């Protein structure tokens, strides 16, 4: 199961379940590949919700390498998703959300009871206090 606190997601790519995460190294790789001078510029680039195919490939490749896979550009470009190109674009978007806005990611991590008590129940929706 992916660790949403770390920005990890899981996806079916070419018939295999794979983990993706944009680590600091993966983000540096993306900055370089896409010509972004810093993280703020990289995040701003994706805020509009429009992604070029090369950006989708760069995000997925960086995410796979961030999770420990040794995969080259040609292999990334050959990956398939059960939903086709739409699924690959959604995967890249989900990975960006998990990295930059995890509270908006599908199935965001939920605080456990100990966390709720430690932070004060009123801090969370439905909490007492």
């Amino acid at each position: 199961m992916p660790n949403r606190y770390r920005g990890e997601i899981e996806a079916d790519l070419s018939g295999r379940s794979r983990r993706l995460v944009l680590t600091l190294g993966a983000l540096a790789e993306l900055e370089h590949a896409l010509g972004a001078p810093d993280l703020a510029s990289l995040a701003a680039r994706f805020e509009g919700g429009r992604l070029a195919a090369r950006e989708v490939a760069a995000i997925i490749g960086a995410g796979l390498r961030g999770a420990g896979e040794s995969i080259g550009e040609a292999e990334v470009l050959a990956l398939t998703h059960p939903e086709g190109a739409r699924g690959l674009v959604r995967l890249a978007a989900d990975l960006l959300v998990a990295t930059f806005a995890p509270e908006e990611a599908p199935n965001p991590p939920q605080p456990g009871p100990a966390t709720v008590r430690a932070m004060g129940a009123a801090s969370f929706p439905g909490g007492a206090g």
Side-chain angles (χ1 to χ4, degrees):
M1 178 139 215
N3 182 341
R4 299 301 285 191
Y5 286 106
R6 292 186 57 210
E8 293 177 353
I9 65 169
E10 207 165 297
D12 180 2
L13 291 169
S14 297
R16 267 185 49 213
S17 180
R18 293 179 150 136
R19 187 160 300 185
L20 297 91
V21 63
L22 291 177
T23 61
L24 186 58
L27 289 168
E29 175 186 328
L30 275 177
E31 283 177 348
H32 178 74
L34 302 178
D38 53 43
L39 280 176
S41 298
L42 189 64
R45 180 180 186 138
F46 299 128
E47 281 179 352
R50 297 176 61 135
L51 296 172
R54 71 181 179 89
E55 293 171 328
V56 169
I59 293 164
I60 292 172
L64 288 167
R65 287 185 287 275
E69 284 204 36
S70 178
I71 188 166
E73 184 179 351
E75 293 169 288
V76 171
L77 293 173
L79 290 172
T80 60
H81 190 279
E83 296 176 28
R86 179 188 345 205
L88 292 167
V89 171
R90 185 176 302 131
L91 171 60
D94 287 349
L95 184 55
L96 291 170
V97 168
T99 302
F100 292 108
E103 65 280 355
E104 296 175 22
N107 302 317
Q110 299 298 313
T115 305
V116 172
R117 282 191 302 275
M119 296 181 75
S123 302
F124 296 96

